[in-house]
Amino acid sequence: MDVLTDNFSTFGEGFIGTVELTVFASVLALVLGFLMASFRVAPVGSLRAFGTAWVTVLRNTPLTLLFFAVLLGLPRFGLVLPFTVFAVLALGCYTSAFICEALRSGINTVPKGQGEAARSLGMTFGQTLSSVVLPQAFRSVIAPVGSNLIALAKNSAIAGAFSVTELLGTYKTLNELGYNIIWTFVWIALGYLIITLAISAVFNILEQRWGVAR
Amino acid sequence: MAVDPLIELRDVNKYYGELHVLQDIDLTVGKGEVVVVIGPSGSGKSTLCRTINRLETVQSGEIRLDGQPLPQEGKALARLRTEVGMVFQSFNLFAHKTVLQNVSLAQIKVRGRKKDEADKRSRELLERVGLATHAGKYPAQLSGGQQQRVAIARALAMDPKALLFDEPTSALDPEMINEVLEVMRQLANEGMTMVVVTHEMGFARSAANRVVFMADGRIVEDRAPEDFFTHPESERARDFLSKILKH
């Protein structure tokens, strides 16, 4: 029990670190996922190919490998950024591939005729997607997007191995100080639970608000 | 006919893989004309209708609207589509928007009208199709016939030069067919250029200037309705008419 009270600031820093990673990487994943999903349904072949390549590469690469590639690879090409930013990049890009596919399956639930009707009224591809297809797709992808962001929150633990301050990484410090490892992990687990349950709650509200209205 | 051509198709061919769905189609629709396309299912009549605003692409041939060839994908095509309204068999109203929003959306996004202005126009059109009191409802709360009339109002909201109807009454209960045909008849009387794919022979007889009979991807006959129904020239048309008119 002392583990928490004695080291509240260490846990606090780790917790904040994980929250930051989760929030920034989520935003990046949502933006990129949205963009890639648009690419994958675009009428332009090269955009579709790009979207498909993006998903194929990122979805099929182990996340740890991706971290190595970003954190050790990019500096070789002269791109030097704080490790936290690299971690956000790796997590965000990785998760964007999954978000993209969730969005795309949502797009496929919208009857084809809706898009045809919009196009027959002279709406461009972008307008059709943003005012007709995506608002309807959005309703059916709330749950899977939520799951992906929860996975992202947990995946952020990998960043700890690359000396980014985050929740799981705090165990190393506390272990060295001789605290009970079991209790350390219990408190860490509780920290993750707070974050993931918060994400669940947000998505539950979204689903109640938008999910069923037809 | 000595009127200006609005829609012209020349030597249009389309394939779905091996299947030759449109074979050497030549068709001219003049301004203000109402052309009804009939034929057995699978004869290519819906495909023909959809090629006119390029919802279906064609492999060869030329399609012109008001003298201009149909552009490829992109802004130019979108602009051209605003000139040709389309009404679908399955209505295709935007499920997440109210009736009023359905009619106003493209006016705002495509025509660049202000919301008030667009809503005012939408209400006029809804009044015209007899649905002014339903403006605040969602499509799912309306009957099929009502939804189709909203779809017609939505197409009219762009002030199109022509309207395409792809089997507009085929998904409707018999008692709702007339309310939709009545609106279409009214449009025809007002001089709207219309291409109507339908199985409603009564409408073809009373409202059409010409009847185009299609079978197996070809235009078999293209004549005045009375001529066609009383003296079909081809064996294929006689056979078709004997099956649908006698019962």
Short mmCIF file of all heavy atoms in Angstrom, two decimals, chain A residues 147-212:
data_model
loop_
_atom_site.label_atom_id
_atom_site.label_comp_id
_atom_site.label_asym_id
_atom_site.label_seq_id
_atom_site.Cartn_x
_atom_site.Cartn_y
_atom_site.Cartn_z
N SER A 147 -12.76 0.63 -29.48
CA SER A 147 -11.88 -0.51 -29.18
C SER A 147 -10.46 -0.23 -29.63
O SER A 147 -9.50 -0.56 -28.93
CB SER A 147 -12.37 -1.77 -29.89
OG SER A 147 -13.67 -2.07 -29.46
N ASN A 148 -10.33 0.36 -30.80
CA ASN A 148 -8.99 0.65 -31.32
C ASN A 148 -8.25 1.65 -30.46
O ASN A 148 -7.04 1.53 -30.26
CB ASN A 148 -9.08 1.17 -32.76
CG ASN A 148 -9.28 0.05 -33.75
OD1 ASN A 148 -8.69 -1.02 -33.60
ND2 ASN A 148 -10.10 0.28 -34.75
N LEU A 149 -8.99 2.64 -29.93
CA LEU A 149 -8.32 3.64 -29.09
C LEU A 149 -7.94 3.04 -27.74
O LEU A 149 -6.92 3.41 -27.15
CB LEU A 149 -9.20 4.88 -28.92
CG LEU A 149 -9.46 5.65 -30.23
CD1 LEU A 149 -10.16 6.96 -29.94
CD2 LEU A 149 -8.17 5.91 -30.99
N ILE A 150 -8.75 2.11 -27.24
CA ILE A 150 -8.39 1.42 -26.00
C ILE A 150 -7.12 0.60 -26.23
O ILE A 150 -6.19 0.62 -25.41
CB ILE A 150 -9.55 0.53 -25.51
CG1 ILE A 150 -10.66 1.43 -24.96
CG2 ILE A 150 -9.08 -0.46 -24.46
CD1 ILE A 150 -11.92 0.70 -24.58
N ALA A 151 -7.06 -0.08 -27.37
CA ALA A 151 -5.85 -0.84 -27.71
C ALA A 151 -4.65 0.09 -27.78
O ALA A 151 -3.56 -0.24 -27.30
CB ALA A 151 -6.05 -1.57 -29.04
N LEU A 152 -4.87 1.28 -28.34
CA LEU A 152 -3.78 2.26 -28.44
C LEU A 152 -3.27 2.64 -27.06
O LEU A 152 -2.06 2.67 -26.82
CB LEU A 152 -4.27 3.50 -29.19
CG LEU A 152 -3.25 4.62 -29.46
CD1 LEU A 152 -3.63 5.34 -30.74
CD2 LEU A 152 -3.14 5.60 -28.33
N ALA A 153 -4.19 2.89 -26.13
CA ALA A 153 -3.79 3.28 -24.77
C ALA A 153 -2.89 2.21 -24.16
O ALA A 153 -1.86 2.52 -23.55
CB ALA A 153 -5.04 3.49 -23.91
N LYS A 154 -3.26 0.95 -24.37
CA LYS A 154 -2.45 -0.12 -23.80
C LYS A 154 -1.13 -0.32 -24.55
O LYS A 154 -0.10 -0.60 -23.94
CB LYS A 154 -3.27 -1.42 -23.78
CG LYS A 154 -4.50 -1.27 -22.87
CD LYS A 154 -5.25 -2.56 -22.72
CE LYS A 154 -5.91 -2.94 -24.03
NZ LYS A 154 -6.64 -4.21 -23.91
N ASN A 155 -1.19 -0.13 -25.87
CA ASN A 155 0.03 -0.27 -26.67
C ASN A 155 1.08 0.79 -26.31
O ASN A 155 2.26 0.60 -26.57
CB ASN A 155 -0.29 -0.15 -28.17
CG ASN A 155 -0.97 -1.40 -28.69
OD1 ASN A 155 -0.86 -2.46 -28.10
ND2 ASN A 155 -1.68 -1.26 -29.80
N SER A 156 0.60 1.90 -25.73
CA SER A 156 1.54 2.99 -25.43
C SER A 156 2.60 2.52 -24.43
O SER A 156 3.65 3.15 -24.29
CB SER A 156 0.79 4.20 -24.88
OG SER A 156 0.29 3.91 -23.59
N ALA A 157 2.35 1.40 -23.74
CA ALA A 157 3.33 0.87 -22.78
C ALA A 157 4.67 0.56 -23.45
O ALA A 157 5.72 0.62 -22.81
CB ALA A 157 2.77 -0.38 -22.12
N ILE A 158 4.62 0.23 -24.75
CA ILE A 158 5.85 -0.10 -25.46
C ILE A 158 6.81 1.09 -25.46
O ILE A 158 8.03 0.92 -25.42
CB ILE A 158 5.54 -0.55 -26.91
CG1 ILE A 158 4.77 -1.87 -26.84
CG2 ILE A 158 6.81 -0.70 -27.73
CD1 ILE A 158 4.38 -2.40 -28.19
N ALA A 159 6.24 2.30 -25.46
CA ALA A 159 7.09 3.50 -25.48
C ALA A 159 8.03 3.54 -24.28
O ALA A 159 9.12 4.10 -24.35
CB ALA A 159 6.22 4.75 -25.54
N GLY A 160 7.59 2.92 -23.15
CA GLY A 160 8.41 2.92 -21.95
C GLY A 160 9.76 2.28 -22.18
O GLY A 160 10.77 2.69 -21.61
N ALA A 161 9.79 1.28 -23.08
CA ALA A 161 11.03 0.60 -23.39
C ALA A 161 12.00 1.50 -24.15
O ALA A 161 13.16 1.18 -24.31
CB ALA A 161 10.74 -0.67 -24.19
N PHE A 162 11.49 2.63 -24.65
CA PHE A 162 12.34 3.55 -25.39
C PHE A 162 12.51 4.85 -24.61
O PHE A 162 12.53 5.93 -25.17
CB PHE A 162 11.75 3.82 -26.78
CG PHE A 162 11.69 2.58 -27.63
CD1 PHE A 162 10.57 1.74 -27.60
CD2 PHE A 162 12.77 2.23 -28.44
CE1 PHE A 162 10.53 0.60 -28.37
CE2 PHE A 162 12.72 1.07 -29.21
CZ PHE A 162 11.61 0.26 -29.17
N SER A 163 12.61 4.69 -23.29
CA SER A 163 12.83 5.79 -22.35
C SER A 163 11.89 6.98 -22.53
O SER A 163 12.28 8.12 -22.39
CB SER A 163 14.29 6.25 -22.35
OG SER A 163 14.73 6.59 -23.63
N VAL A 164 10.62 6.68 -22.87
CA VAL A 164 9.60 7.71 -22.82
C VAL A 164 8.90 7.54 -21.48
O VAL A 164 8.64 6.42 -21.06
CB VAL A 164 8.58 7.54 -23.97
CG1 VAL A 164 7.42 8.51 -23.83
CG2 VAL A 164 9.27 7.70 -25.31
N THR A 165 8.63 8.64 -20.79
CA THR A 165 7.96 8.54 -19.49
C THR A 165 6.52 8.10 -19.70
O THR A 165 5.75 8.77 -20.38
CB THR A 165 7.94 9.91 -18.79
OG1 THR A 165 9.25 10.43 -18.83
CG2 THR A 165 7.46 9.76 -17.36
N GLU A 166 6.17 6.94 -19.16
CA GLU A 166 4.78 6.48 -19.23
C GLU A 166 4.54 5.53 -18.06
O GLU A 166 5.46 5.16 -17.35
CB GLU A 166 4.45 5.89 -20.60
CG GLU A 166 5.31 4.76 -21.10
CD GLU A 166 5.01 3.48 -20.42
OE1 GLU A 166 3.81 3.13 -20.40
OE2 GLU A 166 5.93 2.83 -19.90
N LEU A 167 3.30 5.13 -17.91
CA LEU A 167 2.89 4.45 -16.69
C LEU A 167 3.61 3.14 -16.39
O LEU A 167 4.15 2.96 -15.30
CB LEU A 167 1.36 4.23 -16.75
CG LEU A 167 0.68 3.77 -15.47
CD1 LEU A 167 0.99 4.72 -14.33
CD2 LEU A 167 -0.82 3.69 -15.69
N LEU A 168 3.67 2.25 -17.37
CA LEU A 168 4.27 0.94 -17.10
C LEU A 168 5.73 1.07 -16.69
O LEU A 168 6.21 0.36 -15.81
CB LEU A 168 4.13 0.02 -18.33
CG LEU A 168 4.70 -1.39 -18.12
CD1 LEU A 168 3.88 -2.15 -17.07
CD2 LEU A 168 4.70 -2.18 -19.42
N GLY A 169 6.43 2.03 -17.34
CA GLY A 169 7.86 2.20 -17.10
C GLY A 169 8.20 2.53 -15.65
O GLY A 169 9.33 2.34 -15.21
N THR A 170 7.21 3.04 -14.89
CA THR A 170 7.49 3.41 -13.50
C THR A 170 7.91 2.23 -12.65
O THR A 170 8.59 2.39 -11.64
CB THR A 170 6.24 4.06 -12.84
OG1 THR A 170 5.15 3.17 -13.00
CG2 THR A 170 5.91 5.39 -13.47
N TYR A 171 7.54 1.00 -13.09
CA TYR A 171 7.86 -0.16 -12.26
C TYR A 171 9.37 -0.33 -12.10
O TYR A 171 9.84 -0.80 -11.07
CB TYR A 171 7.22 -1.44 -12.83
CG TYR A 171 8.07 -2.19 -13.82
CD1 TYR A 171 8.95 -3.20 -13.39
CD2 TYR A 171 8.03 -1.89 -15.17
CE1 TYR A 171 9.75 -3.88 -14.30
CE2 TYR A 171 8.81 -2.56 -16.08
CZ TYR A 171 9.67 -3.55 -15.65
OH TYR A 171 10.46 -4.21 -16.54
N LYS A 172 10.15 0.08 -13.13
CA LYS A 172 11.60 -0.09 -13.06
C LYS A 172 12.18 0.69 -11.89
O LYS A 172 12.93 0.15 -11.07
CB LYS A 172 12.24 0.38 -14.37
CG LYS A 172 12.15 -0.69 -15.47
CD LYS A 172 12.82 -0.23 -16.76
CE LYS A 172 11.79 0.17 -17.78
NZ LYS A 172 12.29 0.85 -18.95
N THR A 173 11.79 1.97 -11.81
CA THR A 173 12.27 2.82 -10.73
C THR A 173 11.88 2.23 -9.37
O THR A 173 12.70 2.09 -8.47
CB THR A 173 11.61 4.21 -10.84
OG1 THR A 173 11.47 4.53 -12.21
CG2 THR A 173 12.42 5.26 -10.12
N LEU A 174 10.59 1.87 -9.26
CA LEU A 174 10.08 1.40 -7.98
C LEU A 174 10.69 0.06 -7.59
O LEU A 174 10.97 -0.19 -6.41
CB LEU A 174 8.56 1.30 -8.02
CG LEU A 174 7.87 2.63 -8.34
CD1 LEU A 174 6.38 2.45 -8.48
CD2 LEU A 174 8.20 3.66 -7.27
N ASN A 175 10.94 -0.77 -8.58
CA ASN A 175 11.55 -2.07 -8.32
C ASN A 175 12.95 -1.88 -7.76
O ASN A 175 13.35 -2.53 -6.79
CB ASN A 175 11.59 -2.88 -9.62
CG ASN A 175 11.86 -4.35 -9.34
OD1 ASN A 175 11.51 -4.85 -8.27
ND2 ASN A 175 12.50 -5.01 -10.28
N GLU A 176 13.69 -0.93 -8.35
CA GLU A 176 15.05 -0.65 -7.87
C GLU A 176 15.03 -0.13 -6.45
O GLU A 176 15.95 -0.37 -5.68
CB GLU A 176 15.73 0.38 -8.79
CG GLU A 176 16.31 -0.26 -10.05
CD GLU A 176 16.59 0.77 -11.13
OE1 GLU A 176 16.74 1.96 -10.78
OE2 GLU A 176 16.65 0.38 -12.31
N LEU A 177 13.98 0.61 -6.11
CA LEU A 177 13.87 1.14 -4.75
C LEU A 177 13.43 0.08 -3.75
O LEU A 177 13.31 0.34 -2.56
CB LEU A 177 12.88 2.31 -4.72
CG LEU A 177 13.32 3.58 -5.47
CD1 LEU A 177 12.18 4.58 -5.54
CD2 LEU A 177 14.53 4.21 -4.79
N GLY A 178 13.14 -1.15 -4.27
CA GLY A 178 12.86 -2.26 -3.38
C GLY A 178 11.41 -2.42 -2.98
O GLY A 178 11.09 -3.11 -2.02
N TYR A 179 10.50 -1.79 -3.67
CA TYR A 179 9.08 -1.96 -3.33
C TYR A 179 8.54 -3.28 -3.87
O TYR A 179 9.09 -3.87 -4.80
CB TYR A 179 8.26 -0.80 -3.93
CG TYR A 179 8.44 0.48 -3.16
CD1 TYR A 179 9.29 1.47 -3.64
CD2 TYR A 179 7.76 0.70 -1.97
CE1 TYR A 179 9.46 2.66 -2.97
CE2 TYR A 179 7.93 1.89 -1.27
CZ TYR A 179 8.77 2.86 -1.77
OH TYR A 179 8.94 4.02 -1.09
N ASN A 180 7.46 -3.73 -3.27
CA ASN A 180 6.82 -4.98 -3.67
C ASN A 180 6.33 -4.90 -5.11
O ASN A 180 5.50 -4.05 -5.46
CB ASN A 180 5.64 -5.26 -2.72
CG ASN A 180 4.97 -6.58 -3.06
OD1 ASN A 180 4.91 -6.97 -4.22
ND2 ASN A 180 4.47 -7.26 -2.03
N ILE A 181 6.87 -5.79 -5.94
CA ILE A 181 6.58 -5.70 -7.38
C ILE A 181 5.10 -5.97 -7.69
O ILE A 181 4.52 -5.39 -8.57
CB ILE A 181 7.51 -6.66 -8.17
CG1 ILE A 181 7.48 -6.36 -9.67
CG2 ILE A 181 7.14 -8.11 -7.94
CD1 ILE A 181 8.29 -5.21 -10.07
N ILE A 182 4.49 -6.89 -6.92
CA ILE A 182 3.08 -7.22 -7.15
C ILE A 182 2.19 -5.99 -6.99
O ILE A 182 1.41 -5.64 -7.85
CB ILE A 182 2.60 -8.33 -6.18
CG1 ILE A 182 3.47 -9.59 -6.31
CG2 ILE A 182 1.12 -8.66 -6.41
CD1 ILE A 182 3.25 -10.38 -7.57
N TRP A 183 2.39 -5.31 -5.83
CA TRP A 183 1.57 -4.12 -5.57
C TRP A 183 1.84 -3.01 -6.58
O TRP A 183 0.93 -2.30 -7.01
CB TRP A 183 1.76 -3.62 -4.14
CG TRP A 183 0.91 -4.43 -3.20
CD1 TRP A 183 1.35 -5.40 -2.34
CD2 TRP A 183 -0.51 -4.37 -3.09
NE1 TRP A 183 0.28 -5.97 -1.70
CE2 TRP A 183 -0.87 -5.35 -2.13
CE3 TRP A 183 -1.49 -3.61 -3.69
CZ2 TRP A 183 -2.19 -5.59 -1.76
CZ3 TRP A 183 -2.81 -3.83 -3.33
CH2 TRP A 183 -3.15 -4.80 -2.38
N THR A 184 3.11 -2.90 -6.98
CA THR A 184 3.45 -1.90 -7.99
C THR A 184 2.60 -2.14 -9.24
O THR A 184 1.98 -1.22 -9.78
CB THR A 184 4.94 -2.00 -8.37
OG1 THR A 184 5.71 -1.96 -7.18
CG2 THR A 184 5.35 -0.87 -9.29
N PHE A 185 2.57 -3.41 -9.65
CA PHE A 185 1.82 -3.73 -10.87
C PHE A 185 0.31 -3.53 -10.69
O PHE A 185 -0.39 -3.13 -11.61
CB PHE A 185 2.13 -5.15 -11.34
CG PHE A 185 3.41 -5.24 -12.12
CD1 PHE A 185 4.34 -6.25 -11.88
CD2 PHE A 185 3.68 -4.29 -13.10
CE1 PHE A 185 5.51 -6.32 -12.62
CE2 PHE A 185 4.85 -4.36 -13.83
CZ PHE A 185 5.78 -5.37 -13.59
N VAL A 186 -0.18 -3.82 -9.49
CA VAL A 186 -1.61 -3.62 -9.24
C VAL A 186 -1.98 -2.16 -9.45
O VAL A 186 -2.96 -1.83 -10.12
CB VAL A 186 -2.00 -4.08 -7.81
CG1 VAL A 186 -3.40 -3.58 -7.44
CG2 VAL A 186 -1.94 -5.59 -7.71
N TRP A 187 -1.16 -1.26 -8.90
CA TRP A 187 -1.47 0.18 -9.04
C TRP A 187 -1.32 0.64 -10.49
O TRP A 187 -2.10 1.47 -10.97
CB TRP A 187 -0.59 1.02 -8.11
CG TRP A 187 -0.91 0.79 -6.66
CD1 TRP A 187 -0.08 0.30 -5.70
CD2 TRP A 187 -2.18 1.01 -6.03
NE1 TRP A 187 -0.74 0.18 -4.50
CE2 TRP A 187 -2.03 0.61 -4.67
CE3 TRP A 187 -3.42 1.47 -6.47
CZ2 TRP A 187 -3.07 0.69 -3.75
CZ3 TRP A 187 -4.45 1.55 -5.55
CH2 TRP A 187 -4.28 1.16 -4.21
N ILE A 188 -0.31 0.05 -11.16
CA ILE A 188 -0.15 0.41 -12.58
C ILE A 188 -1.38 -0.03 -13.36
O ILE A 188 -1.94 0.74 -14.16
CB ILE A 188 1.13 -0.24 -13.16
CG1 ILE A 188 2.37 0.51 -12.62
CG2 ILE A 188 1.12 -0.21 -14.68
CD1 ILE A 188 3.68 -0.14 -12.99
N ALA A 189 -1.81 -1.27 -13.08
CA ALA A 189 -2.99 -1.79 -13.79
C ALA A 189 -4.19 -0.89 -13.55
O ALA A 189 -4.97 -0.60 -14.47
CB ALA A 189 -3.29 -3.21 -13.33
N LEU A 190 -4.33 -0.42 -12.30
CA LEU A 190 -5.45 0.45 -11.97
C LEU A 190 -5.38 1.75 -12.79
O LEU A 190 -6.40 2.25 -13.29
CB LEU A 190 -5.42 0.77 -10.48
CG LEU A 190 -6.74 1.27 -9.91
CD1 LEU A 190 -7.76 0.13 -9.87
CD2 LEU A 190 -6.54 1.85 -8.51
N GLY A 191 -4.16 2.25 -12.95
CA GLY A 191 -3.96 3.47 -13.76
C GLY A 191 -4.46 3.26 -15.18
O GLY A 191 -5.19 4.10 -15.72
N TYR A 192 -4.07 2.12 -15.78
CA TYR A 192 -4.54 1.84 -17.15
C TYR A 192 -6.05 1.72 -17.20
O TYR A 192 -6.70 2.17 -18.14
CB TYR A 192 -3.90 0.54 -17.68
CG TYR A 192 -2.51 0.78 -18.22
CD1 TYR A 192 -1.39 0.34 -17.54
CD2 TYR A 192 -2.34 1.48 -19.43
CE1 TYR A 192 -0.11 0.57 -18.03
CE2 TYR A 192 -1.07 1.72 -19.92
CZ TYR A 192 0.04 1.26 -19.22
OH TYR A 192 1.28 1.51 -19.71
N LEU A 193 -6.59 1.09 -16.13
CA LEU A 193 -8.03 0.89 -16.09
C LEU A 193 -8.77 2.23 -16.10
O LEU A 193 -9.79 2.39 -16.78
CB LEU A 193 -8.39 0.11 -14.81
CG LEU A 193 -9.55 -0.88 -14.93
CD1 LEU A 193 -9.29 -1.86 -16.07
CD2 LEU A 193 -9.71 -1.64 -13.62
N ILE A 194 -8.21 3.21 -15.37
CA ILE A 194 -8.84 4.54 -15.35
C ILE A 194 -8.90 5.10 -16.76
O ILE A 194 -9.94 5.60 -17.22
CB ILE A 194 -8.07 5.50 -14.41
CG1 ILE A 194 -8.24 5.05 -12.96
CG2 ILE A 194 -8.55 6.94 -14.59
CD1 ILE A 194 -7.33 5.76 -11.98
N ILE A 195 -7.77 4.97 -17.48
CA ILE A 195 -7.71 5.53 -18.84
C ILE A 195 -8.66 4.80 -19.78
O ILE A 195 -9.47 5.41 -20.49
CB ILE A 195 -6.27 5.47 -19.39
CG1 ILE A 195 -5.37 6.39 -18.55
CG2 ILE A 195 -6.24 5.90 -20.86
CD1 ILE A 195 -3.90 6.23 -18.83
N THR A 196 -8.61 3.46 -19.77
CA THR A 196 -9.42 2.71 -20.73
C THR A 196 -10.91 2.82 -20.41
O THR A 196 -11.73 2.94 -21.31
CB THR A 196 -9.01 1.22 -20.76
OG1 THR A 196 -9.02 0.72 -19.42
CG2 THR A 196 -7.63 1.03 -21.35
N LEU A 197 -11.25 2.84 -19.11
CA LEU A 197 -12.66 2.99 -18.77
C LEU A 197 -13.18 4.38 -19.16
O LEU A 197 -14.33 4.53 -19.56
CB LEU A 197 -12.90 2.73 -17.28
CG LEU A 197 -12.79 1.25 -16.87
CD1 LEU A 197 -13.04 1.09 -15.37
CD2 LEU A 197 -13.74 0.38 -17.67
N ALA A 198 -12.28 5.38 -19.06
CA ALA A 198 -12.67 6.73 -19.47
C ALA A 198 -12.99 6.73 -20.97
O ALA A 198 -13.99 7.31 -21.42
CB ALA A 198 -11.57 7.73 -19.16
N ILE A 199 -12.12 6.06 -21.75
CA ILE A 199 -12.37 6.00 -23.20
C ILE A 199 -13.69 5.29 -23.46
O ILE A 199 -14.53 5.76 -24.25
CB ILE A 199 -11.21 5.27 -23.93
CG1 ILE A 199 -9.90 6.05 -23.76
CG2 ILE A 199 -11.53 5.11 -25.43
CD1 ILE A 199 -8.69 5.34 -24.32
N SER A 200 -13.91 4.15 -22.77
CA SER A 200 -15.18 3.41 -22.92
C SER A 200 -16.36 4.32 -22.64
O SER A 200 -17.34 4.32 -23.39
CB SER A 200 -15.26 2.24 -21.96
OG SER A 200 -14.26 1.32 -22.24
N ALA A 201 -16.26 5.08 -21.53
CA ALA A 201 -17.38 5.94 -21.14
C ALA A 201 -17.68 6.97 -22.23
O ALA A 201 -18.84 7.17 -22.60
CB ALA A 201 -17.05 6.65 -19.83
N VAL A 202 -16.60 7.59 -22.76
CA VAL A 202 -16.80 8.58 -23.82
C VAL A 202 -17.53 7.95 -25.02
O VAL A 202 -18.50 8.51 -25.55
CB VAL A 202 -15.45 9.17 -24.28
CG1 VAL A 202 -15.62 9.97 -25.57
CG2 VAL A 202 -14.86 10.05 -23.19
N PHE A 203 -17.08 6.76 -25.40
CA PHE A 203 -17.69 6.13 -26.58
C PHE A 203 -19.10 5.62 -26.31
O PHE A 203 -19.93 5.59 -27.20
CB PHE A 203 -16.76 5.04 -27.14
CG PHE A 203 -15.71 5.64 -28.03
CD1 PHE A 203 -14.56 6.19 -27.49
CD2 PHE A 203 -15.89 5.69 -29.41
CE1 PHE A 203 -13.60 6.77 -28.30
CE2 PHE A 203 -14.94 6.28 -30.22
CZ PHE A 203 -13.79 6.82 -29.67
N ASN A 204 -19.37 5.25 -25.04
CA ASN A 204 -20.74 4.88 -24.70
C ASN A 204 -21.68 6.08 -24.87
O ASN A 204 -22.79 5.94 -25.38
CB ASN A 204 -20.83 4.38 -23.25
CG ASN A 204 -20.48 2.91 -23.17
OD1 ASN A 204 -20.57 2.20 -24.16
ND2 ASN A 204 -20.05 2.48 -22.00
N ILE A 205 -21.20 7.23 -24.42
CA ILE A 205 -22.02 8.43 -24.55
C ILE A 205 -22.25 8.74 -26.03
O ILE A 205 -23.38 9.00 -26.46
CB ILE A 205 -21.35 9.64 -23.85
CG1 ILE A 205 -21.36 9.40 -22.33
CG2 ILE A 205 -22.07 10.93 -24.19
CD1 ILE A 205 -20.48 10.35 -21.55
N LEU A 206 -21.16 8.68 -26.82
CA LEU A 206 -21.29 8.93 -28.26
C LEU A 206 -22.32 7.99 -28.88
O LEU A 206 -23.14 8.39 -29.71
CB LEU A 206 -19.94 8.74 -28.97
CG LEU A 206 -18.90 9.83 -28.80
CD1 LEU A 206 -17.62 9.44 -29.53
CD2 LEU A 206 -19.43 11.14 -29.34
N GLU A 207 -22.26 6.73 -28.46
CA GLU A 207 -23.15 5.75 -29.05
C GLU A 207 -24.61 6.01 -28.68
O GLU A 207 -25.51 5.88 -29.50
CB GLU A 207 -22.74 4.33 -28.63
CG GLU A 207 -23.15 3.31 -29.66
CD GLU A 207 -22.46 1.97 -29.47
OE1 GLU A 207 -21.47 1.89 -28.73
OE2 GLU A 207 -22.96 1.01 -30.07
N GLN A 208 -24.80 6.42 -27.42
CA GLN A 208 -26.17 6.74 -27.01
C GLN A 208 -26.69 7.95 -27.76
O GLN A 208 -27.85 8.02 -28.14
CB GLN A 208 -26.21 7.02 -25.51
CG GLN A 208 -26.44 5.75 -24.70
CD GLN A 208 -26.12 5.95 -23.25
OE1 GLN A 208 -26.03 7.07 -22.76
NE2 GLN A 208 -25.93 4.84 -22.54
N ARG A 209 -25.79 8.89 -27.98
CA ARG A 209 -26.19 10.15 -28.61
C ARG A 209 -26.44 9.96 -30.11
O ARG A 209 -27.41 10.46 -30.65
CB ARG A 209 -25.07 11.16 -28.37
CG ARG A 209 -25.25 12.51 -28.97
CD ARG A 209 -25.87 13.49 -27.95
NE ARG A 209 -25.89 14.84 -28.49
CZ ARG A 209 -26.70 15.21 -29.47
NH1 ARG A 209 -27.52 14.36 -30.01
NH2 ARG A 209 -26.67 16.46 -29.92
N TRP A 210 -25.55 9.20 -30.77
CA TRP A 210 -25.61 9.12 -32.23
C TRP A 210 -25.88 7.74 -32.79
O TRP A 210 -26.27 7.60 -33.94
CB TRP A 210 -24.27 9.58 -32.82
CG TRP A 210 -23.90 10.97 -32.48
CD1 TRP A 210 -22.93 11.37 -31.59
CD2 TRP A 210 -24.47 12.18 -33.00
NE1 TRP A 210 -22.88 12.73 -31.53
CE2 TRP A 210 -23.80 13.26 -32.39
CE3 TRP A 210 -25.48 12.43 -33.92
CZ2 TRP A 210 -24.11 14.58 -32.67
CZ3 TRP A 210 -25.78 13.75 -34.20
CH2 TRP A 210 -25.11 14.81 -33.57
N GLY A 211 -25.62 6.73 -31.97
CA GLY A 211 -25.57 5.37 -32.51
C GLY A 211 -26.84 4.85 -33.14
O GLY A 211 -26.79 4.20 -34.17
N VAL A 212 -27.99 5.13 -32.53
CA VAL A 212 -29.21 4.48 -33.01
C VAL A 212 -30.09 5.37 -33.87
O VAL A 212 -30.92 4.86 -34.62
CB VAL A 212 -30.04 3.92 -31.84
CG1 VAL A 212 -29.48 2.59 -31.39
CG2 VAL A 212 -30.09 4.91 -30.70
#
